[in-house]
PDB file of all heavy atoms in Angstrom:
ATOM      1  N   ALA A 143      16.462  -1.912 -12.262  1.00 94.00           N
ATOM      2  CA  ALA A 143      16.850  -2.863 -13.303  1.00 94.00           C
ATOM      3  C   ALA A 143      18.072  -2.332 -14.037  1.00 94.00           C
ATOM      4  O   ALA A 143      18.083  -1.179 -14.490  1.00 94.00           O
ATOM      5  CB  ALA A 143      15.700  -3.073 -14.284  1.00 94.00           C
ATOM      6  N   GLU A 144      19.091  -3.171 -14.127  1.00 94.00           N
ATOM      7  CA  GLU A 144      20.287  -2.794 -14.863  1.00 94.00           C
ATOM      8  C   GLU A 144      19.923  -2.626 -16.339  1.00 94.00           C
ATOM      9  O   GLU A 144      19.259  -3.475 -16.932  1.00 94.00           O
ATOM     10  CB  GLU A 144      21.365  -3.867 -14.696  1.00 94.00           C
ATOM     11  CG  GLU A 144      22.700  -3.468 -15.270  1.00 94.00           C
ATOM     12  CD  GLU A 144      23.773  -4.514 -15.018  1.00 94.00           C
ATOM     13  OE1 GLU A 144      23.445  -5.695 -14.796  1.00 94.00           O
ATOM     14  OE2 GLU A 144      24.952  -4.133 -15.077  1.00 94.00           O
ATOM     15  N   LYS A 145      20.331  -1.516 -16.937  1.00 96.00           N
ATOM     16  CA  LYS A 145      19.916  -1.185 -18.303  1.00 96.00           C
ATOM     17  C   LYS A 145      20.376  -2.195 -19.343  1.00 96.00           C
ATOM     18  O   LYS A 145      19.733  -2.334 -20.378  1.00 96.00           O
ATOM     19  CB  LYS A 145      20.387   0.219 -18.671  1.00 96.00           C
ATOM     20  CG  LYS A 145      19.653   1.299 -17.898  1.00 96.00           C
ATOM     21  CD  LYS A 145      20.142   2.679 -18.255  1.00 96.00           C
ATOM     22  CE  LYS A 145      19.375   3.732 -17.474  1.00 96.00           C
ATOM     23  NZ  LYS A 145      19.910   5.084 -17.737  1.00 96.00           N
ATOM     24  N   VAL A 146      21.478  -2.918 -19.106  1.00 94.00           N
ATOM     25  CA  VAL A 146      21.961  -3.896 -20.083  1.00 94.00           C
ATOM     26  C   VAL A 146      21.344  -5.280 -19.892  1.00 94.00           C
ATOM     27  O   VAL A 146      21.564  -6.174 -20.701  1.00 94.00           O
ATOM     28  CB  VAL A 146      23.512  -4.001 -20.066  1.00 94.00           C
ATOM     29  CG1 VAL A 146      24.147  -2.672 -20.456  1.00 94.00           C
ATOM     30  CG2 VAL A 146      24.015  -4.474 -18.713  1.00 94.00           C
ATOM     31  N   ALA A 147      20.560  -5.468 -18.838  1.00 90.00           N
ATOM     32  CA  ALA A 147      19.940  -6.771 -18.574  1.00 90.00           C
ATOM     33  C   ALA A 147      18.788  -7.018 -19.546  1.00 90.00           C
ATOM     34  O   ALA A 147      18.052  -6.093 -19.907  1.00 90.00           O
ATOM     35  CB  ALA A 147      19.428  -6.830 -17.133  1.00 90.00           C
ATOM     36  N   ARG A 148      18.616  -8.277 -19.964  1.00 88.00           N
ATOM     37  CA  ARG A 148      17.508  -8.634 -20.863  1.00 88.00           C
ATOM     38  C   ARG A 148      16.166  -8.276 -20.248  1.00 88.00           C
ATOM     39  O   ARG A 148      15.234  -7.864 -20.934  1.00 88.00           O
ATOM     40  CB  ARG A 148      17.530 -10.134 -21.181  1.00 88.00           C
ATOM     41  CG  ARG A 148      18.739 -10.582 -21.953  1.00 88.00           C
ATOM     42  CD  ARG A 148      18.698 -12.062 -22.203  1.00 88.00           C
ATOM     43  NE  ARG A 148      18.863 -12.799 -20.948  1.00 88.00           N
ATOM     44  CZ  ARG A 148      19.192 -14.075 -20.879  1.00 88.00           C
ATOM     45  NH1 ARG A 148      19.360 -14.783 -21.964  1.00 88.00           N
ATOM     46  NH2 ARG A 148      19.333 -14.669 -19.718  1.00 88.00           N
ATOM     47  N   SER A 172      16.586 -18.171  -6.172  1.00 95.00           N
ATOM     48  CA  SER A 172      17.220 -16.860  -6.112  1.00 95.00           C
ATOM     49  C   SER A 172      18.570 -16.875  -6.829  1.00 95.00           C
ATOM     50  O   SER A 172      18.875 -15.984  -7.619  1.00 95.00           O
ATOM     51  CB  SER A 172      17.404 -16.432  -4.659  1.00 95.00           C
ATOM     52  OG  SER A 172      18.115 -15.222  -4.580  1.00 95.00           O
ATOM     53  N   ARG A 173      19.365 -17.889  -6.553  1.00 94.00           N
ATOM     54  CA  ARG A 173      20.678 -17.994  -7.197  1.00 94.00           C
ATOM     55  C   ARG A 173      20.533 -18.145  -8.717  1.00 94.00           C
ATOM     56  O   ARG A 173      21.264 -17.528  -9.488  1.00 94.00           O
ATOM     57  CB  ARG A 173      21.468 -19.161  -6.628  1.00 94.00           C
ATOM     58  CG  ARG A 173      21.966 -18.920  -5.220  1.00 94.00           C
ATOM     59  CD  ARG A 173      22.787 -20.111  -4.707  1.00 94.00           C
ATOM     60  NE  ARG A 173      23.214 -19.904  -3.346  1.00 94.00           N
ATOM     61  CZ  ARG A 173      24.269 -19.177  -2.982  1.00 94.00           C
ATOM     62  NH1 ARG A 173      25.005 -18.585  -3.902  1.00 94.00           N
ATOM     63  NH2 ARG A 173      24.585 -19.056  -1.708  1.00 94.00           N
ATOM     64  N   PHE A 174      19.577 -18.963  -9.149  1.00 93.00           N
ATOM     65  CA  PHE A 174      19.379 -19.192 -10.576  1.00 93.00           C
ATOM     66  C   PHE A 174      18.996 -17.893 -11.297  1.00 93.00           C
ATOM     67  O   PHE A 174      19.570 -17.539 -12.321  1.00 93.00           O
ATOM     68  CB  PHE A 174      18.309 -20.259 -10.816  1.00 93.00           C
ATOM     69  CG  PHE A 174      18.005 -20.482 -12.267  1.00 93.00           C
ATOM     70  CD1 PHE A 174      18.827 -21.286 -13.037  1.00 93.00           C
ATOM     71  CD2 PHE A 174      16.908 -19.886 -12.864  1.00 93.00           C
ATOM     72  CE1 PHE A 174      18.567 -21.492 -14.377  1.00 93.00           C
ATOM     73  CE2 PHE A 174      16.631 -20.090 -14.207  1.00 93.00           C
ATOM     74  CZ  PHE A 174      17.467 -20.890 -14.971  1.00 93.00           C
ATOM     75  N   PHE A 175      18.024 -17.165 -10.756  1.00 90.00           N
ATOM     76  CA  PHE A 175      17.543 -15.963 -11.435  1.00 90.00           C
ATOM     77  C   PHE A 175      18.507 -14.792 -11.318  1.00 90.00           C
ATOM     78  O   PHE A 175      18.422 -13.844 -12.099  1.00 90.00           O
ATOM     79  CB  PHE A 175      16.141 -15.598 -10.947  1.00 90.00           C
ATOM     80  CG  PHE A 175      15.107 -16.519 -11.518  1.00 90.00           C
ATOM     81  CD1 PHE A 175      14.627 -17.580 -10.775  1.00 90.00           C
ATOM     82  CD2 PHE A 175      14.657 -16.361 -12.814  1.00 90.00           C
ATOM     83  CE1 PHE A 175      13.696 -18.456 -11.310  1.00 90.00           C
ATOM     84  CE2 PHE A 175      13.728 -17.236 -13.363  1.00 90.00           C
ATOM     85  CZ  PHE A 175      13.253 -18.281 -12.617  1.00 90.00           C
ATOM     86  N   ALA A 176      19.455 -14.857 -10.400  1.00 88.00           N
ATOM     87  CA  ALA A 176      20.476 -13.819 -10.296  1.00 88.00           C
ATOM     88  C   ALA A 176      21.608 -14.029 -11.298  1.00 88.00           C
ATOM     89  O   ALA A 176      22.408 -13.129 -11.530  1.00 88.00           O
ATOM     90  CB  ALA A 176      21.053 -13.795  -8.878  1.00 88.00           C
ATOM     91  N   HIS A 177      21.657 -15.210 -11.910  1.00 84.00           N
ATOM     92  CA  HIS A 177      22.746 -15.554 -12.828  1.00 84.00           C
ATOM     93  C   HIS A 177      22.538 -14.894 -14.186  1.00 84.00           C
ATOM     94  O   HIS A 177      21.543 -15.127 -14.861  1.00 84.00           O
ATOM     95  CB  HIS A 177      22.823 -17.077 -12.990  1.00 84.00           C
ATOM     96  CG  HIS A 177      23.898 -17.532 -13.916  1.00 84.00           C
ATOM     97  ND1 HIS A 177      25.225 -17.406 -13.618  1.00 84.00           N
ATOM     98  CD2 HIS A 177      23.826 -18.083 -15.145  1.00 84.00           C
ATOM     99  CE1 HIS A 177      25.934 -17.876 -14.631  1.00 84.00           C
ATOM    100  NE2 HIS A 177      25.100 -18.281 -15.557  1.00 84.00           N
ATOM    101  N   ARG A 178      23.471 -14.061 -14.588  1.00 82.00           N
ATOM    102  CA  ARG A 178      23.422 -13.388 -15.880  1.00 82.00           C
ATOM    103  C   ARG A 178      23.631 -14.411 -16.997  1.00 82.00           C
ATOM    104  O   ARG A 178      24.467 -15.296 -16.897  1.00 82.00           O
ATOM    105  CB  ARG A 178      24.529 -12.339 -15.950  1.00 82.00           C
ATOM    106  CG  ARG A 178      24.494 -11.488 -17.190  1.00 82.00           C
ATOM    107  CD  ARG A 178      25.644 -10.513 -17.182  1.00 82.00           C
ATOM    108  NE  ARG A 178      25.558  -9.637 -16.033  1.00 82.00           N
ATOM    109  CZ  ARG A 178      25.202  -8.360 -16.090  1.00 82.00           C
ATOM    110  NH1 ARG A 178      24.925  -7.817 -17.240  1.00 82.00           N
ATOM    111  NH2 ARG A 178      25.148  -7.645 -14.988  1.00 82.00           N
ATOM    112  N   GLY A 179      22.828 -14.312 -18.060  1.00 82.00           N
ATOM    113  CA  GLY A 179      22.985 -15.190 -19.216  1.00 82.00           C
ATOM    114  C   GLY A 179      22.322 -16.546 -19.066  1.00 82.00           C
ATOM    115  O   GLY A 179      22.537 -17.431 -19.883  1.00 82.00           O
ATOM    116  N   ARG A 180      21.480 -16.717 -18.046  1.00 82.00           N
ATOM    117  CA  ARG A 180      20.791 -18.003 -17.869  1.00 82.00           C
ATOM    118  C   ARG A 180      19.899 -18.247 -19.084  1.00 82.00           C
ATOM    119  O   ARG A 180      19.450 -17.305 -19.737  1.00 82.00           O
ATOM    120  CB  ARG A 180      19.983 -18.005 -16.582  1.00 82.00           C
ATOM    121  CG  ARG A 180      18.793 -17.085 -16.642  1.00 82.00           C
ATOM    122  CD  ARG A 180      18.026 -17.049 -15.336  1.00 82.00           C
ATOM    123  NE  ARG A 180      16.932 -16.126 -15.467  1.00 82.00           N
ATOM    124  CZ  ARG A 180      17.007 -14.812 -15.319  1.00 82.00           C
ATOM    125  NH1 ARG A 180      18.168 -14.264 -15.006  1.00 82.00           N
ATOM    126  NH2 ARG A 180      15.952 -14.046 -15.465  1.00 82.00           N
ATOM    127  N   PRO A 181      19.615 -19.515 -19.387  1.00 79.00           N
ATOM    128  CA  PRO A 181      18.729 -19.808 -20.519  1.00 79.00           C
ATOM    129  C   PRO A 181      17.317 -19.287 -20.243  1.00 79.00           C
ATOM    130  O   PRO A 181      16.828 -19.363 -19.116  1.00 79.00           O
ATOM    131  CB  PRO A 181      18.746 -21.334 -20.617  1.00 79.00           C
ATOM    132  CG  PRO A 181      19.294 -21.819 -19.326  1.00 79.00           C
ATOM    133  CD  PRO A 181      20.082 -20.719 -18.716  1.00 79.00           C
ATOM    134  N   LEU A 182      16.672 -18.762 -21.268  1.00 79.00           N
ATOM    135  CA  LEU A 182      15.327 -18.229 -21.108  1.00 79.00           C
ATOM    136  C   LEU A 182      14.253 -19.305 -21.238  1.00 79.00           C
ATOM    137  O   LEU A 182      13.241 -19.258 -20.554  1.00 79.00           O
ATOM    138  CB  LEU A 182      15.072 -17.118 -22.128  1.00 79.00           C
ATOM    139  CG  LEU A 182      15.942 -15.872 -21.964  1.00 79.00           C
ATOM    140  CD1 LEU A 182      15.638 -14.867 -23.073  1.00 79.00           C
ATOM    141  CD2 LEU A 182      15.730 -15.237 -20.608  1.00 79.00           C
ATOM    142  N   ASP A 220      23.382   3.588 -14.501  1.00 97.00           N
ATOM    143  CA  ASP A 220      23.396   2.350 -15.286  1.00 97.00           C
ATOM    144  C   ASP A 220      22.170   1.477 -15.005  1.00 97.00           C
ATOM    145  O   ASP A 220      22.034   0.388 -15.542  1.00 97.00           O
ATOM    146  CB  ASP A 220      24.685   1.559 -15.068  1.00 97.00           C
ATOM    147  CG  ASP A 220      24.908   1.155 -13.613  1.00 97.00           C
ATOM    148  OD1 ASP A 220      24.133   1.583 -12.731  1.00 97.00           O
ATOM    149  OD2 ASP A 220      25.880   0.408 -13.359  1.00 97.00           O
ATOM    150  N   HIS A 221      21.260   1.956 -14.168  1.00 97.00           N
ATOM    151  CA  HIS A 221      20.006   1.271 -13.849  1.00 97.00           C
ATOM    152  C   HIS A 221      18.819   2.202 -14.117  1.00 97.00           C
ATOM    153  O   HIS A 221      18.976   3.419 -14.154  1.00 97.00           O
ATOM    154  CB  HIS A 221      19.958   0.869 -12.368  1.00 97.00           C
ATOM    155  CG  HIS A 221      20.803  -0.308 -12.027  1.00 97.00           C
ATOM    156  ND1 HIS A 221      22.179  -0.291 -12.090  1.00 97.00           N
ATOM    157  CD2 HIS A 221      20.462  -1.550 -11.619  1.00 97.00           C
ATOM    158  CE1 HIS A 221      22.659  -1.481 -11.718  1.00 97.00           C
ATOM    159  NE2 HIS A 221      21.624  -2.263 -11.426  1.00 97.00           N
TER     160      HIS A 221
END
Side-chain angles (χ1 to χ4, degrees):
E144 188 177 23
K145 291 179 179 176
V146 298
R148 295 179 292 197
S172 175
R173 288 181 182 279
F174 177 81
F175 285 99
H177 180 68
R178 186 182 299 253
R180 69 182 179 277
L182 295 178
D220 60 354
H221 284 67

